[in-house]
Amino acid sequence: MNTVNEIRLARLAGCLYLLLIPMGVFGIMYIPELITVAGDNSATLANLTDHATTIRLSILCAFAIQLTQLFLVIALYYLLRPYGVIAARFMVLFTLVTIPIALLNELSHITALLLSESDLLREVFNPQQLDALTLFLLELHRQGIMIAHIFWGLWLMPMGYLVYRCGFLPRVIGVLLIIAGIGYCLDTITFFALATDRYLIAQYTFPGEVLLPLTLLWKAYRAEKRIVSDFNQGSE
């Protein structure tokens, strides 16, 4: 990382990646646990009504996540492309596949809210039918996330390879990113093959995704400080 452009890209990528973490925790982990009560459909439906505003915020958060990830992968592409053009392209490709899946998946939450709030629909369908459809949409959203899940893993693998090769980041982070990617992919496979979420492991294989943005910001800071120091010495 020797140029001003590389420093700016590293700083931008680090900030965007850090921004994804709280939004992902809120939209993907907190909201499902807030709404869904295992084995109690009545409580789940009541939570949907009681926390409608929170769910709407989670939908906006999902939109923000996809927009942030789009700019993030562009920054990472230009930063890491010199260390493997094909891998960098695959990193972008997997991200571009994920974005429409994740955005369309939010239609399930949007429709579930419409069903719970529509007086017109309650005049046409009986409450039991609407409740059953609402629960179906909530489950559809949960399973839709697992479809996006595999692409969240796939984009980490070429990224990990590029980080491993780049030289200005610790190679161990590249290895950890690949491990995180494998964790996401295995989660999707076990979820659909075994029809259960009891064996999800991505929640334990994510450290590389935290270390990468922190290291990018630190390396950008150090590189900028070095360039300023060299400039001051040269001007003397």
Side-chain angles (χ1 to χ4, degrees), residues 45-203:
L45 292 168
N47 285 338
L48 179 68
T49 303
D50 295 341
H51 301 288
T53 301
T54 304
I55 296 174
R56 293 185 187 282
L57 289 176
S58 77
I59 294 170
L60 292 175
C61 185
F63 295 162
I65 287 173
Q66 304 316 311
L67 187 61
T68 301
Q69 190 161 8
L70 178 61
F71 286 107
L72 169 61
V73 77
I74 292 172
L76 287 172
Y77 174 78
Y78 284 108
L79 179 64
L80 300 175
R81 180 178 57 177
Y83 311 100
V85 175
I86 294 177
R89 288 175 179 173
F90 271 107
M91 180 177 66
V92 174
L93 175 64
F94 291 137
T95 301
L96 294 180
V97 171
T98 309
I99 290 173
I101 294 173
L103 290 176
L104 288 172
N105 191 49
E106 291 306 309
L107 285 174
S108 298
H109 269 173
I110 293 170
T111 308
L113 287 173
L114 289 174
L115 290 176
S116 67
E117 298 171 352
S118 175
D119 294 332
L120 177 61
L121 288 175
R122 293 197 174 274
E123 293 177 1
V124 178
F125 301 99
N126 64 54
Q128 290 77 19
Q129 291 174 321
L130 288 177
D131 289 347
L133 183 54
T134 300
L135 291 169
F136 168 76
L137 289 167
L138 293 177
E139 179 61 21
L140 189 65
H141 183 273
R142 185 174 76 98
Q143 301 212 17
I145 287 177
M146 296 309 299
I147 295 174
H149 214 72
I150 193 168
F151 292 102
W152 291 338
L154 288 174
W155 93 295
L156 290 176
M157 293 182 189
M159 186 200 304
Y161 169 78
L162 293 169
V163 168
Y164 185 86
R165 291 195 60 193
C166 72
F168 60 83
L169 293 170
R171 287 189 167 186
V172 66
I173 296 180
V175 174
L176 289 174
L177 288 172
I178 294 173
I179 292 173
I182 293 172
Y184 280 112
C185 293
L186 288 177
D187 279 358
T188 298
I189 293 170
T190 57
F191 180 84
F192 287 110
L194 305 177
T196 179
D197 58 3
R198 292 176 56 190
Y199 307 107
L200 303 185
I201 62 171
Q203 57 187 322

